[in-house]
Amino acid sequence: MTDKLYINQLENEAIYIMREVAAQFEKPVLLFSGGKDSITLVRLAQKAFYPSKIPFPLMHIDTGHNFPETIEFRDRLVKELGVELIVRNVQDSIDQGKVKEESGRYSSRNMLQTTTLLDAIEEFKFDACIGGARRDEEKARAKERIFSVRDDFGQWDEKNQRPELFDMLNGEIDFGQNVRVFPISNWTELDVWTYIENEELEIPSIYFAHKRNVFLRDGLIWSASEHVYKDEEEKVEERMVRFRTVGDMSCTAAVDSYAETISQVVAEIRDSSISERGARIDDKRSEAAMEERKQQGYF
């Protein structure tokens, strides 16, 4: 099977899922971070409902510690598409006393997003949240169904999931429940980049190699930003780097790279032996860090 044929099959599967969401749920939303996976979801949604506009809003849970390049891209894309963007801020959850700001060497707002997300779902009464999680990213995500039910507290029970056949997506939920939907669950990081290359999609510049002030910690390369804790002895230097994932700055490390085009990024990923989430420090807090967060309501 050629790469192009395989990518077309993945696209058709994702478009089918998008249309099932629109058919089975009353208030869906697409969770949008400005990263490559959510950009791919937006293109898939465009194709699924063309020539109409995307029939649901985009929502970003903003930690306040995002890369500026990502926020600039987010706002420009939404304006070009003419779709509704809902932004809810982790800072508001902190100010309201619902979550507590972390401090210290590995402090991050990434885990605090869960409360803000669950509050937003309740505020707008969303019954389906579409996201770009993929099974190849992390072992907890590999356990997810494409339609993954959350209880009325937003929690996920990995031991109590429905059987799922691809062509029989079950969107029935009880009052108070909602569903997380993963249209690109079966894609890999390389599949996403190949699709971006084939579709000639624009992505934030942060994904390409660029000179950046960084410092080293625990064998990882961190952006020298006011949002990232740095010890006095950790020296800032300028390096050619890029980011494989664009989460909260305080938990997302860079990689050394000279890949300045999408084709060069694709070639680099083909040769890589390290998962993209190998540069996410929040996944390293414990062996089951992601699964514990998902049980609490994290996406």
Side-chain angles (χ1 to χ4, degrees):
M1 185 184 299
T2 66
D3 283 350
K4 188 171 180 58
L5 177 59
Y6 177 65
I7 294 298
N8 285 343
Q9 288 182 350
L10 290 176
E11 179 189 65
N12 290 337
E13 176 185 86
I15 287 173
Y16 169 80
I17 294 166
M18 288 280 192
R19 290 172 176 167
E20 283 295 301
V21 171
Q24 295 194 44
F25 297 96
E26 294 183 6
K27 288 202 71 176
V29 65
L30 192 155
L31 299 187
F32 186 78
S33 67
K36 67 184 185 309
D37 298 310
S38 56
I39 292 168
T40 296
L41 287 180
V42 168
R43 173 51 61 90
L44 291 166
Q46 284 181 286
K47 288 192 171 187
F49 304 107
Y50 182 84
S52 299
K53 286 187 176 181
I54 298 173
F56 35 72
L58 277 53
M59 182 167 72
H60 183 205
I61 304 301
D62 189 344
T63 66
H65 292 174
N66 293 288
F67 293 96
E69 299 94 326
T70 307
I71 299 301
E72 183 277 329
F73 177 87
R74 178 200 73 183
D75 293 342
R76 181 159 46 83
L77 180 64
V78 166
K79 184 176 180 180
E80 290 172 0
L81 295 177
V83 297
E84 178 186 2
L85 173 67
I86 298 167
V87 179
R88 288 296 178 266
N89 298 289
V90 169
Q91 184 63 54
D92 291 337
S93 299
I94 295 171
D95 293 343
Q96 294 161 10
K98 294 180 176 180
V99 294
K100 185 177 180 181
E101 184 88 79
E102 295 182 358
S103 61
R105 206 163 193 254
Y106 298 107
S107 58
S108 171
R109 286 188 173 183
N110 201 49
M111 293 182 68
L112 308 186
Q113 293 180 85
T114 298
T115 296
T116 312
L117 171 62
L118 296 180
D119 284 349
I121 292 172
E122 176 61 26
E123 176 186 354
F124 293 97
K125 306 300 180 187
F126 291 129
D127 53 0
C129 299
I130 305 165
R134 307 186 322 269
R135 288 179 174 137
D136 77 317
E137 290 181 277
E138 202 275 340
K139 59 187 178 183
R141 286 182 164 166
K143 299 177 183 180
E144 291 270 22
R145 302 295 190 260
I146 291 174
F147 277 15
S148 185
V149 178
R150 300 301 199 268
D151 65 20
D152 51 359
F153 296 103
Q155 297 174 329
W156 174 63
D157 182 357
E158 80 285 0
K159 297 178 182 177
N160 185 26
Q161 298 189 83
R162 300 166 173 173
E164 182 174 82
L165 300 174
F166 168 68
D167 59 353
M168 295 179 63
L169 296 172
N170 182 359
E172 295 225 356
I173 54 176
D174 295 329
F175 180 77
Q177 291 182 328
N178 63 80
V179 169
R180 309 292 170 84
V181 181
F182 306 109
I184 60 172
S185 184
N186 293 326
W187 298 39
T188 65
E189 181 190 14
L190 183 58
D191 293 334
V192 170
W193 277 106
T194 302
Y195 189 75
I196 288 170
E197 183 177 33
N198 292 348
E199 293 290 310
E200 299 181 347
L201 297 180
E202 184 182 358
I203 57 173
S205 59
I206 199 167
Y207 279 113
F208 300 115
H210 58 285
K211 289 183 179 180
R212 197 176 194 92
N213 288 331
V214 299
F215 65 94
L216 300 181
R217 177 193 297 154
D218 300 332
L220 298 175
I221 305 169
W222 299 97
S223 184
S225 162
E226 61 179 338
H227 301 312
V228 182
Y229 179 92
K230 185 178 75 66
D231 291 330
E232 289 186 7
E233 66 271 16
E234 292 173 327
K235 303 302 181 183
V236 174
E237 60 179 302
E238 187 179 75
R239 291 172 76 145
M240 281 289 287
V241 300
R242 73 176 193 87
F243 292 83
R244 288 175 69 180
T245 178
V246 293
D248 187 288
M249 293 179 73
S250 58
C251 65
T252 307
V255 294
D256 287 313
S257 176
Y258 289 94
E260 297 179 321
T261 66
I262 290 178
S263 60
Q264 289 173 344
V265 170
V266 170
E268 184 179 273
I269 293 170
R270 286 186 189 277
D271 294 336
S272 176
S273 60
I274 301 173
S275 162
E276 64 186 298
R277 293 195 72 90
R280 290 292 293 270
I281 197 67
D282 50 326
D283 290 348
K284 304 178 187 297
R285 294 191 179 205
S286 74
E287 186 69 21
M290 173 65 80
E291 187 157 320
E292 290 168 357
R293 295 204 306 279
K294 291 177 77 64
Q295 290 167 353
Q296 295 164 7
Y298 185 79
F299 203 83

